Amino acid sequence: MNISYWWSREFLTSRGFLWLLFIFNLLGTIYGYYWYGHQIDYTVAHNPLWQVIFVPDSPTASLFFTLSLCFLLWSEALKKLGAIRVLIESLAVVTSVKYGVWAVSIIFAGAYQGNMIGWQEWMLVASHTAMAVEALLYVRFYKFGAGILLGAGLWTLLNDMVDYTYGVFPWLPVQLMDDLTSVRNFTVALTLLSVLAGWLALRQRDRSMLP
């Protein structure tokens, strides 16, 4: 079997593999919201309620990707939700790439400054790397275009602004708290790079569709 089969349309859109991805991403999303439980409770107690939606960044990205799989699994049943589909797909790509790379980078940056890496951190490294990779792999099966991708980028930049203006960014290793300005700048830059990565993947998708 040719190794390229493992990222071919035939394999990636097979119902068995789509169901496997759906289940793993759904479970990861549920666990992610549980992981953020203490920070959500803290935000509810100390901040205006509207800021809570900006707290669980990674599980919300995972939720977008999980929902995007629904449109591949039940494309006929959900075909009337075309506008919602392109919105969810564009958010899935930008946020999954952004927070996938962000979480891995923060874990290793904290480790570089002395934070211990245990099994949970390695689990997060693996799962967040998978988030970024799977989102880019599935761009070619999505329906959204460059305009809605830009909108997803603007929403993610708004998330960044709220996070670092009101202090609802994901809790960092204590070693990185004195580098908060650098973390903020890296976060914003990563949003822009994630939009660029999504756009390049779109260009590749559109080229492959040419006769």
Side-chain angles (χ1 to χ4, degrees):
M1 182 182 294
N2 194 309
I3 192 172
S4 62
Y5 170 77
W6 300 108
W7 58 82
S8 68
R9 174 182 289 270
E10 179 185 1
F11 175 71
L12 293 177
T13 60
S14 64
R15 292 193 68 80
F17 188 68
L18 286 173
W19 268 110
L20 188 65
L21 272 185
F22 178 80
I23 291 168
F24 273 102
N25 278 276
L26 179 61
L27 292 176
T29 299
I30 294 169
Y31 178 75
Y33 283 112
Y34 170 78
W35 177 275
Y36 273 89
H38 292 303
Q39 186 172 356
I40 291 172
D41 290 342
Y42 180 88
T43 304
V44 169
H46 296 88
N47 294 62
L49 194 58
W50 65 267
Q51 293 177 15
V52 175
I53 193 174
F54 297 98
V55 172
D57 294 334
S58 291
T60 301
S62 178
L63 176 63
F64 288 138
F65 184 76
T66 304
L67 292 174
S68 77
L69 294 174
C70 294
F71 291 102
L72 296 176
L73 282 164
W74 300 290
S75 56
E76 283 300 312
L78 301 175
K79 63 182 178 181
K80 292 184 179 180
L81 302 178
I84 295 174
R85 174 177 181 168
V86 295
L87 177 61
I88 288 174
E89 289 175 345
S90 61
L91 286 167
V93 171
V94 173
T95 59
S96 293
V97 173
K98 186 259 184 75
Y99 293 114
V101 175
W102 185 90
V104 174
S105 301
I106 291 300
I107 288 170
F108 286 132
Y112 180 76
Q113 295 197 28
N115 191 46
M116 295 294 294
I117 296 186
W119 70 268
Q120 286 185 314
E121 285 74 24
W122 285 115
M123 177 196 69
L124 291 172
V125 166
S127 61
H128 283 78
T129 300
M131 277 176 60
V133 172
E134 67 187 6
L136 290 175
L137 276 176
Y138 276 83
V139 169
R140 58 182 152 146
F141 312 126
Y142 288 163
K143 303 292 187 182
F144 71 87
I148 196 69
L149 182 70
L150 179 60
L154 291 174
W155 166 261
T156 311
L157 284 173
L158 173 64
N159 196 342
D160 296 340
M161 183 191 74
V162 173
D163 277 357
Y164 293 93
T165 300
Y166 299 103
V168 293
F169 52 85
W171 285 344
L172 301 169
V174 66
Q175 292 85 353
L176 295 181
M177 288 306 295
D178 58 349
D179 299 312
L180 192 54
T181 299
S182 297
V183 171
R184 180 201 63 198
N185 295 341
F186 171 71
T187 301
V188 172
L190 198 51
T191 295
L192 300 177
L193 288 173
S194 298
V195 174
L196 176 61
W199 179 75
L200 291 173
L202 274 183
R203 298 245 319 176
Q204 183 61 35
R205 180 198 69 182
D206 294 343
R207 274 198 213 99
S208 69
M209 295 172 63
L210 293 174

